[in-house]
mmCIF file of all heavy atoms in Angstrom:
data_model
loop_
_atom_site.group_PDB
_atom_site.id
_atom_site.type_symbol
_atom_site.label_atom_id
_atom_site.label_comp_id
_atom_site.label_asym_id
_atom_site.label_seq_id
_atom_site.Cartn_x
_atom_site.Cartn_y
_atom_site.Cartn_z
ATOM 1 N N VAL B 208 -10.825 -20.454 -7.721
ATOM 2 C CA VAL B 208 -10.165 -19.513 -8.624
ATOM 3 C C VAL B 208 -10.066 -20.077 -10.007
ATOM 4 O O VAL B 208 -9.605 -21.245 -10.188
ATOM 5 C CB VAL B 208 -8.766 -19.153 -8.087
ATOM 6 C CG1 VAL B 208 -8.106 -18.098 -8.923
ATOM 7 C CG2 VAL B 208 -8.759 -18.772 -6.605
ATOM 8 N N CYS B 209 -10.427 -19.341 -11.041
ATOM 9 C CA CYS B 209 -10.334 -19.853 -12.420
ATOM 10 C C CYS B 209 -10.022 -18.664 -13.365
ATOM 11 O O CYS B 209 -10.668 -17.664 -13.348
ATOM 12 C CB CYS B 209 -11.640 -20.505 -12.809
ATOM 13 S SG CYS B 209 -11.466 -21.383 -14.367
ATOM 14 N N GLY B 210 -9.001 -18.855 -14.173
ATOM 15 C CA GLY B 210 -8.596 -17.820 -15.125
ATOM 16 C C GLY B 210 -7.248 -18.238 -15.698
ATOM 17 O O GLY B 210 -6.766 -19.376 -15.496
ATOM 18 N N PRO B 211 -6.581 -17.302 -16.423
ATOM 19 C CA PRO B 211 -5.238 -17.601 -16.949
ATOM 20 C C PRO B 211 -4.358 -17.916 -15.818
ATOM 21 O O PRO B 211 -4.472 -17.438 -14.666
ATOM 22 C CB PRO B 211 -4.834 -16.318 -17.590
ATOM 23 C CG PRO B 211 -6.066 -15.519 -17.805
ATOM 24 C CD PRO B 211 -7.045 -15.948 -16.739
ATOM 25 N N GLU B 212 -3.394 -18.793 -16.049
ATOM 26 C CA GLU B 212 -2.496 -19.348 -15.004
ATOM 27 C C GLU B 212 -1.767 -18.245 -14.178
ATOM 28 O O GLU B 212 -1.707 -18.318 -12.962
ATOM 29 C CB GLU B 212 -1.530 -20.363 -15.594
ATOM 30 C CG GLU B 212 -0.934 -21.254 -14.537
ATOM 31 C CD GLU B 212 -0.184 -22.395 -15.164
ATOM 32 O OE1 GLU B 212 -0.807 -23.109 -16.004
ATOM 33 O OE2 GLU B 212 0.953 -22.633 -14.839
ATOM 34 N N VAL B 213 -1.332 -17.241 -14.888
ATOM 35 C CA VAL B 213 -0.611 -16.149 -14.203
ATOM 36 C C VAL B 213 -1.549 -15.466 -13.218
ATOM 37 O O VAL B 213 -1.229 -15.166 -12.071
ATOM 38 C CB VAL B 213 -0.026 -15.182 -15.194
ATOM 39 C CG1 VAL B 213 0.674 -13.975 -14.474
ATOM 40 C CG2 VAL B 213 0.934 -15.783 -16.162
ATOM 41 N N MET B 214 -2.797 -15.204 -13.676
ATOM 42 C CA MET B 214 -3.808 -14.544 -12.785
ATOM 43 C C MET B 214 -4.075 -15.439 -11.597
ATOM 44 O O MET B 214 -4.176 -14.916 -10.431
ATOM 45 C CB MET B 214 -5.060 -14.313 -13.622
ATOM 46 C CG MET B 214 -6.316 -13.979 -12.858
ATOM 47 S SD MET B 214 -7.329 -15.448 -12.614
ATOM 48 C CE MET B 214 -8.467 -14.939 -11.429
ATOM 49 N N MET B 215 -4.144 -16.769 -11.790
ATOM 50 C CA MET B 215 -4.399 -17.660 -10.664
ATOM 51 C C MET B 215 -3.304 -17.687 -9.622
ATOM 52 O O MET B 215 -3.497 -17.681 -8.402
ATOM 53 C CB MET B 215 -4.738 -19.135 -11.136
ATOM 54 C CG MET B 215 -6.057 -19.154 -11.921
ATOM 55 S SD MET B 215 -6.660 -20.840 -12.045
ATOM 56 C CE MET B 215 -5.519 -21.581 -13.123
ATOM 57 N N ARG B 216 -2.064 -17.616 -10.140
ATOM 58 C CA ARG B 216 -0.883 -17.650 -9.218
ATOM 59 C C ARG B 216 -0.922 -16.388 -8.335
ATOM 60 O O ARG B 216 -0.744 -16.466 -7.118
ATOM 61 C CB ARG B 216 0.393 -17.615 -10.018
ATOM 62 C CG ARG B 216 0.782 -18.955 -10.675
ATOM 63 C CD ARG B 216 2.273 -19.140 -10.794
ATOM 64 N NE ARG B 216 2.956 -17.982 -11.380
ATOM 65 C CZ ARG B 216 3.369 -17.950 -12.690
ATOM 66 N NH1 ARG B 216 3.071 -18.893 -13.510
ATOM 67 N NH2 ARG B 216 4.008 -16.855 -13.162
ATOM 68 N N TYR B 217 -1.159 -15.243 -8.930
ATOM 69 C CA TYR B 217 -1.171 -14.023 -8.132
ATOM 70 C C TYR B 217 -2.384 -13.896 -7.276
ATOM 71 O O TYR B 217 -2.343 -13.337 -6.164
ATOM 72 C CB TYR B 217 -1.017 -12.766 -9.078
ATOM 73 C CG TYR B 217 0.402 -12.607 -9.563
ATOM 74 C CD1 TYR B 217 0.804 -13.160 -10.780
ATOM 75 C CD2 TYR B 217 1.332 -11.918 -8.758
ATOM 76 C CE1 TYR B 217 2.153 -13.037 -11.165
ATOM 77 C CE2 TYR B 217 2.638 -11.817 -9.171
ATOM 78 C CZ TYR B 217 3.059 -12.286 -10.375
ATOM 79 O OH TYR B 217 4.344 -12.243 -10.748
ATOM 80 N N THR B 218 -3.479 -14.469 -7.711
ATOM 81 C CA THR B 218 -4.684 -14.538 -6.920
ATOM 82 C C THR B 218 -4.460 -15.346 -5.657
ATOM 83 O O THR B 218 -4.864 -15.030 -4.528
ATOM 84 C CB THR B 218 -5.883 -15.007 -7.697
ATOM 85 O OG1 THR B 218 -6.071 -14.070 -8.822
ATOM 86 C CG2 THR B 218 -7.146 -15.096 -6.876
ATOM 87 N N ALA B 219 -3.843 -16.541 -5.870
ATOM 88 C CA ALA B 219 -3.594 -17.422 -4.750
ATOM 89 C C ALA B 219 -2.673 -16.747 -3.739
ATOM 90 O O ALA B 219 -2.928 -16.820 -2.512
ATOM 91 C CB ALA B 219 -2.926 -18.698 -5.248
#
Side-chain angles (χ1 to χ4, degrees):
Chain B
V208 186
C209 191
E212 199 167 307
V213 179
M214 166 261 169
M215 291 198 291
R216 285 208 313 260
Y217 283 93
T218 299

